[in-house]
Amino acid sequence: MTLRADLIFADEQRSASMVSMRSITRVASIVGPIAAILLMAFIVMNAITLAGKVKNAEKEWKGIEPRKEQALKVLNDGKINDGILEEVEAWKHSSTDWAPQLISLQKGINPHIQLRSMRISQVLNQTDKGTTARSFSMTLSGTAVGREAETAVEGLQKHFIEDDEFKERVASAKIPRYGADPEDKDNRIFELECEYHPSPFE
């Protein structure tokens, strides 16, 4: 027969386990606030770091912004200059070299013809392709002298149609006016109109 006698009260008994609820609670009451403080410190430090980065970024932007405005202005001026250059090139492309034509005209005029005036004009119009082109025209007026007056005027008209300097440029050469000179019945007054092919702006 075995007898057992408990010599301590129940509330004085201790658990044989290494970890008890009381120790867990005690540790938690100490570690919890420390963890919260560390977390708050981490958040505050992050906020301070981010604020510093934002401040530095704003400082850099203030330094860059004037240069950006200047760069945009230069870019805009460049676009304007490019547009002007394109327009100048277009006008150059649509122009015609008159010097070789005038030299050719000088050689092609019959000695029986006396020119009184020469007028060169241009108009801007739209081509079938929707582009803008310059259309030139040349008007000659003068007097054809003597019996060969008609032949001389017809020869001048033919010159504009067949000469190398004109045939690729001139679309038509017409004589809208031809008649006796009021001051001398043996002479003929004439007018010759030459229409050029359109010169497109490209």
Side-chain angles (χ1 to χ4, degrees), residues 4-170:
R4 178 180 175 182
D6 290 328
L7 300 178
I8 59 175
F9 296 106
D11 58 350
E12 293 179 344
Q13 293 179 357
R14 298 285 182 271
S15 172
S17 173
M18 296 292 293
V19 179
S20 65
M21 285 300 297
R22 184 176 292 179
S23 63
I24 291 174
T25 303
R26 192 173 295 170
V27 170
S29 65
I30 296 171
V31 173
I34 294 175
I37 291 171
L38 290 175
L39 180 61
M40 289 296 295
F42 177 75
I43 292 172
V44 170
M45 290 300 294
N46 257 357
I48 293 172
T49 303
L50 288 174
K53 288 182 178 179
V54 169
K55 191 173 182 180
N56 289 335
E58 288 177 349
K59 190 182 293 184
E60 287 180 8
W61 174 251
K62 286 180 181 178
I64 292 172
E65 190 172 14
R67 284 183 287 173
K68 176 191 171 186
E69 294 296 329
Q70 185 178 2
L72 289 174
K73 185 178 182 302
V74 170
L75 182 62
N76 187 54
D77 291 345
K79 289 180 179 178
I80 293 173
N81 290 338
D82 287 344
I84 294 173
L85 180 60
E86 287 178 5
E87 187 172 346
V88 170
E89 289 293 334
W91 278 95
K92 181 180 177 182
H93 183 273
S94 64
S95 65
T96 184
D97 188 1
W98 294 106
Q101 297 180 62
L102 295 178
I103 293 173
S104 173
L105 179 61
Q106 182 183 20
K107 294 177 180 178
I109 292 180
N110 190 293
H112 294 277
I113 289 179
Q114 298 174 353
L115 286 182
R116 291 200 310 271
S117 68
M118 178 177 65
R119 184 176 69 254
I120 298 173
S121 59
Q122 68 166 7
V123 294
L124 298 179
N125 50 34
Q126 295 289 324
T127 65
D128 296 336
K129 297 179 180 179
T131 58
T132 304
R134 298 165 77 181
S135 295
F136 294 96
S137 62
M138 179 188 292
T139 303
L140 303 175
S141 60
T143 302
V145 181
R147 296 179 179 178
E148 297 184 15
E150 185 174 352
T151 303
V153 173
E154 289 177 351
L156 180 59
Q157 180 186 25
K158 187 177 180 181
H159 183 78
F160 279 99
I161 296 171
E162 296 180 353
D163 185 78
D164 291 340
E165 289 296 335
F166 291 102
K167 64 182 180 181
E168 297 297 330
R169 297 183 174 91
V170 175

